[in-house]
Amino acid sequence: MKSLEVLDARVTAIAVRNLLLLLKAKKLTYGSLGRIYKDINSRLQDELSLIQIFVMDGSKAKYFEPGTPLFGPEAADKFPLAIPDMEDAGKCLAFGQGTATVYHLMRVMEYGLRAVGAMLEIPYAPSWESYLSQIRKKAEEKRVAKTIDWKGLEPFFLLVEGDLTAVKLVWRNPTMHIQRRYSVQEAEEIFSAVRSFMMRIAPQVPPSPSVFD
């Protein structure tokens, strides 16, 4: 019955409920059961002809209905405004829409990059290379200054630099704007790289519900 509700096959559901009542009351003969079965089958075929059903690759189902947040619970907690794009990136990937997946990942990355930039007082930049060069420059300045707080943060920013390099490589695009189409395989690679980046920074950055303000 639940499957019929999902399909919105209401007429068929009514017929099935009536059949169950007859079975419970023990008022069926083999002949009437056969006729009712044919009627239910006919109704279901008619109702299915009115809808479209998408069959999802089993390996992609984890992106459509994940048991836990796709980018980790801490990233979801730190970037609540990014959750819709995180979820939409997963849904688009599940349905094989590579370019749409990358579009949502681009938006997720902006939240993360702006949060990291705020930690280093780096202004918004339109390209990966710009962010990477500014992070390297700021990191070197702090390394030379040898501040106490930087000693604890330096390993983190070195890893962030590596994550951003990985994202840049799989993105295959010098800017953070979509200028071409992406295959599902490319989108999945980018998804993995962005996910690693967001999970990396989530424990370190402060809660940033409005990093675009």
Side-chain angles (χ1 to χ4, degrees), residues 33-48:
L33 180 60
R35 288 192 296 273
I36 292 173
Y37 170 77
K38 288 181 180 179
D39 178 60
I40 290 175
N41 186 56
S42 178
R43 292 187 188 196
L44 181 58
Q45 288 187 35
D46 288 341
E47 292 197 280
L48 290 179

Side-chain angles (χ1 to χ4, degrees), residues 9-97:
R10 288 174 286 181
V11 177
T12 305
I14 291 172
V16 171
R17 277 195 291 269
N18 290 337
L19 172 60
L20 293 175
L21 290 173
L22 290 171
L23 287 170
K24 187 175 181 180
K26 299 180 180 180
K27 293 182 178 180
L28 280 175
T29 63
Y30 286 112
S32 60
L33 180 60
R35 288 192 296 273
I36 292 173
Y37 170 77
K38 288 181 180 179
D39 178 60
I40 290 175
N41 186 56
S42 178
R43 292 187 188 196
L44 181 58
Q45 288 187 35
D46 288 341
E47 292 197 280
L48 290 179
S49 70
L50 300 175
I51 63 175
Q52 288 185 322
I53 298 176
F54 294 91
V55 179
M56 186 181 299
D57 184 333
S59 64
K60 299 295 190 295
K62 62 184 178 182
Y63 295 114
F64 188 76
E65 286 189 337
T68 57
L70 284 170
F71 291 75
E74 197 155 13
D77 182 58
K78 290 292 180 70
F79 301 99
L81 293 182
I83 291 175
D85 282 299
M86 293 175 179
E87 293 177 346
D88 286 345
K91 287 180 172 61
C92 289
L93 187 56
F95 280 107
Q97 301 299 308

